[in-house]
Amino acid sequence: MIVSTEIERRYKLSNDEFQREYVQKGKPVIISGVIESWDSFEKWSLEYFKNIFPSLKIYAKKFSKTEGIDLIRVTIEEYAKLISSFENNPDNNDLPPYCHDLPLFSLIPALIEDVQPFPLNYLPKWYHYKWWRYCQFFIGSSKSITPLHFDCLLTNNIFFQIVGRKQFTLLQPEDAKYCYRQGWRWFLIDPEKPDFNKYPQYKYARPIKFIVNPGDILYMPPGTLHHVRSLDTSISFNIDWHTEKSVLDALAASMRGMPAKNSYYNLLLLLGLVFKIPPQMIFRFYKSYLNYVS
Ligand SMILES: O=C(O)CCC(=O)C(=O)O
Ligand SMILES: [Fe+2]
């Protein structure tokens, strides 16, 4: 397969073309012009979330090369304070923890109003019922980093950038073999500063680098490796979703080292997408996944 080193950008991409040219071909794309009218662009900030629900308990992550992921529990008020004291003090080198994989629409349902009209047509019908329950938020300061990984259920990912900019580096699943995998979904390569002495195979990889701006939607196909750096204080959310094909492919990956827990959640999604069990029944069992993703 020829791999492009640039991401395609499409304005107001139709659903048919999205499915045909990107989902079916496993090609990433940035879509603009679809969500620009959302109220979230005017309204959302950490201050705003804090004013709605100051005592809300959230968790944030510290990613460390040596000690894995540390979870820190804070209220949204405490978190807003941490972020503003970091951003307002250029000498502060103490990067705050990163609020990562937070199901904020379920915690503050009033926020769902701010992302209307939601482009539901990009998703399979099965997800249309209470789609926000499958969304995860990423809220953090400038310089926050998500290290190189792929999404652990091998889902498709539609990522919405609301506040601030993010620098993404993507690698196609075929390039995973050059990136020094650690466990199921993390990789040792830092694509911003690759150590070719330690990781010589990385020279064969073909990273795609680009900036995602407020109002952009980024589509990442299943198994896409991604590394993300926030360039500003940032608020984003995603929705991870399967098609009938991707859930079958993901279940086949159970044989290639996917943890049993992940295969369990994929089995639930198979029951929904392929065997048409209604989301009302499946979600009860799927819910715990949203608190578990690392
Ligand atoms: O925005 C980030 O820092 C990470 C996003 C991500 O990993 C995802 O959407 O799966
Ligand atoms: Fe991810």
Side-chain angles (χ1 to χ4, degrees), residues 15-16 18-19 23-24 118-134 155-158 160 219 222 239-247 269-270 272-274 276-279:
N15 176 41
D16 281 355
F18 174 59
Q19 300 300 332
V23 179
Q24 284 171 23
F118 192 78
L120 266 185
N121 284 341
Y122 288 150
L123 300 172
K125 281 239 157 50
W126 190 83
Y127 286 94
H128 291 198
Y129 176 75
K130 298 194 180 178
W131 52 268
W132 58 87
R133 301 182 302 182
Y134 301 92
T155 39
N156 297 269
N157 181 337
I158 298 185
F160 300 89
Y219 166 68
I239 179 160
D240 279 339
W241 48 282
H242 268 312
T243 59
E244 287 186 35
K245 179 180 181 307
S246 72
V247 77
L269 295 170
L270 176 89
L273 287 155
V274 178
K276 313 294 177 208
I277 312 267

Side-chain angles (χ1 to χ4, degrees), residues 61-197:
K61 296 177 185 174
K62 279 243 185 232
F63 294 95
S64 132
K65 282 212 172 78
T66 47
E67 279 139 59
I69 302 169
D70 224 6
L71 268 192
I72 291 142
R73 298 197 177 273
V74 279
T75 64
I76 201 124
E77 185 166 27
E78 290 162 343
Y79 192 64
K81 212 181 265 173
L82 273 178
I83 301 294
S84 74
S85 80
F86 177 77
E87 302 291 17
N88 296 329
N89 178 359
D91 301 329
N92 187 344
N93 289 319
D94 202 8
L95 189 67
Y98 189 9
C99 175
H100 200 270
D101 284 334
L102 184 76
L104 195 62
F105 285 136
S106 301
L107 299 168
I108 314 182
L111 298 179
I112 301 162
E113 297 273 295
D114 299 336
V115 297
Q116 303 295 337
F118 192 78
L120 266 185
N121 284 341
Y122 288 150
L123 300 172
K125 281 239 157 50
W126 190 83
Y127 286 94
H128 291 198
Y129 176 75
K130 298 194 180 178
W131 52 268
W132 58 87
R133 301 182 302 182
Y134 301 92
C135 292
Q136 302 273 54
F137 275 70
F138 303 87
I139 304 168
S141 67
S142 58
K143 302 191 178 137
S144 294
I145 281 187
T146 302
L148 192 63
H149 70 285
F150 58 75
D151 292 347
C152 65
L153 300 187
L154 291 173
T155 39
N156 297 269
N157 181 337
I158 298 185
F159 180 92
F160 300 89
Q161 187 61 23
I162 310 297
V163 174
R165 299 158 305 148
K166 278 183 166 168
Q167 163 90 57
F168 272 74
T169 310
L170 301 192
L171 291 127
Q172 308 259 15
E174 304 86 79
D175 281 359
K177 56 183 175 291
Y178 308 129
C179 296
Y180 298 83
R181 187 144 158 201
Q182 197 182 39
W184 166 239
R185 71 153 170 155
W186 298 99
F187 292 82
L188 292 173
I189 291 291
D190 174 357
E192 293 189 325
K193 240 192 288 143
D195 181 341
F196 289 105
N197 289 328

